[in-house]
């Protein structure tokens, strides 16, 4: 995804940064971002196309700011106010924000200590953001909203296993009665690469809030577990550290985590099927990456019969 105007000009105009040094950051699938240094300061700047993505981006920035101002001691890459007080500015069909830099490294999934830090951080984030009760209809609408391109017949028909897999996940969610779970503001995509362990400071941050929404907390837990391993196996240190923060009861996690792991794989299934149809390789070194991620979902979701 390219950006049509010089980022340096936006930084000088809106944030009064003089001669900022700007380096592109890789990896964003729905946005473009840069690392920024100026006068001893260090930030990231992110641009998201107008529309639904920009709406989620603005919401996520509010959540990130809420966490940082809550006293939870978790750096979230919250937005820096522009000279006129705005947290987000419009430019060339995009919403642009200057974000506090979150130092550190990605957790090592082979390290129990790293996994515990990530789990505890997610728990603190959830507690800082609070809870919100939902009705059955609200729960259903919000869960549907988390499914990308879920109503597109072309996406559902891309592979013969996609439609029955999605139907099975939907039936399991209906039986679970998702409105009975603990809901509140959630990150939506707290994958391991979005945590930052600052070894020198002994701190862990959580960045990249561009997908944030209202949802069941177990959805976030399932998201990070999905990339680590089995909840009772490789991911157990992370799950235990998360539950120790009191964001969810162990009984709720045992009831809902496996169902929401399936749901989280279904989200990926639809997302990467849609990208394959559109030929969208943004954020990937190779378009085959979309196929690899779709296959990853298939191995979890396609079952005999």
């Amino acid at each position: 995804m390219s950006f049509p105007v010089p980022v340096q000009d936006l930084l000088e105009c809106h944030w009064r940064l003089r001669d900022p040094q700007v380096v592109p950051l890789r990896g964003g699938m729905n946005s473009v971002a840069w690392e920024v240094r100026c006068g001893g300061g260090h930030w990231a700047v992110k641009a998201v196309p107008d529309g639904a993505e920009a709406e989620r981006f603005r919401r996520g920035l509010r959540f990130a700011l809420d966490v940082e101002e809550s006293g939870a001691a978790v750096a979230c890459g919250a937005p820096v106010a522009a000279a006129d007080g705005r947290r987000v500015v419009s430019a060339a069909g995009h919403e642009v924000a200057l974000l506090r830099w979150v130092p550190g490294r990605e957790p090592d999934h082979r390290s129990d200590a790293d996994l515990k830090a990530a789990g505890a951080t997610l728990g603190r984030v959830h507690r800082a953001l609070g809870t919100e009760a939902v009705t059955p209809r609200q729960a259903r609408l919000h869960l549907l909203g988390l499914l990308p391109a879920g109503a597109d017949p072309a996406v559902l028909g891309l592979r013969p296993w996609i439609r029955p897999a999605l139907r099975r996940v939907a039936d399991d969610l209906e039986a679970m009665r998702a409105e009975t779970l603990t809901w509140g503001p959630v990150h939506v995509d707290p994958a391991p690469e979005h945590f930052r362990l600052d070894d020198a400071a002994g701190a862990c941050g959580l960045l990249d809030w561009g997908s944030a929404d209202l949802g069941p907390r177990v959805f976030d837990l399932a998201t990070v577990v999905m990339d680590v391993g089995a909840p009772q196996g490789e991911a157990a240190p992370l799950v235990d550290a998360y539950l120790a923060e009191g964001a969810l009861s162990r009984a709720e996690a045992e009831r809902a985590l496996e169902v929401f792991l399936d749901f989280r794989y279904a989200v990926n299934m639809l997302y990467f099927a849609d990208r394959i149809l559109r030929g969208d390789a943004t954020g990937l070194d190779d378009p085959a990456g979309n196929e690899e991620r779709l296959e990853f979902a298939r191995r979890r979701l396609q079952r005999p019969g």
Side-chain angles (χ1 to χ4, degrees), residues 216-238:
R217 287 176 171 177
V218 71
F219 181 89
D220 269 1
L221 182 60
T223 297
V224 65
V225 166
M226 177 177 65
D227 288 335
V228 173
Q232 294 80 30
E234 302 92 335
L238 185 149

Side-chain angles (χ1 to χ4, degrees), residues 126 134 138-140 142-147 168-184 186 188 190 214-227 231 248 251-269 300-301 303:
H126 281 170
V134 295
Q138 288 171 328
R140 189 159 46 249
H142 277 289
L143 293 178
L144 285 173
L146 291 171
L147 290 172
R168 185 180 293 114
V169 171
D171 289 345
D172 289 346
L173 285 172
E174 188 71 22
M176 157 111 1
R177 296 182 58 227
E179 72 277 5
T180 65
L181 302 175
T182 305
W183 285 64
V186 290
V188 174
L214 178 68
R217 287 176 171 177
V218 71
F219 181 89
D220 269 1
L221 182 60
T223 297
V224 65
V225 166
M226 177 177 65
D227 288 335
L248 281 184
E252 182 172 333
E254 290 175 351
R255 177 166 75 98
L257 184 52
E258 289 291 348
V259 172
F260 272 83
L261 272 169
D262 281 351
F263 181 51
R264 194 59 185 81
Y265 276 91
V267 170
N268 276 16
M269 171 185 74
R300 167 80 187 196
L301 297 175
R303 297 169 189 165

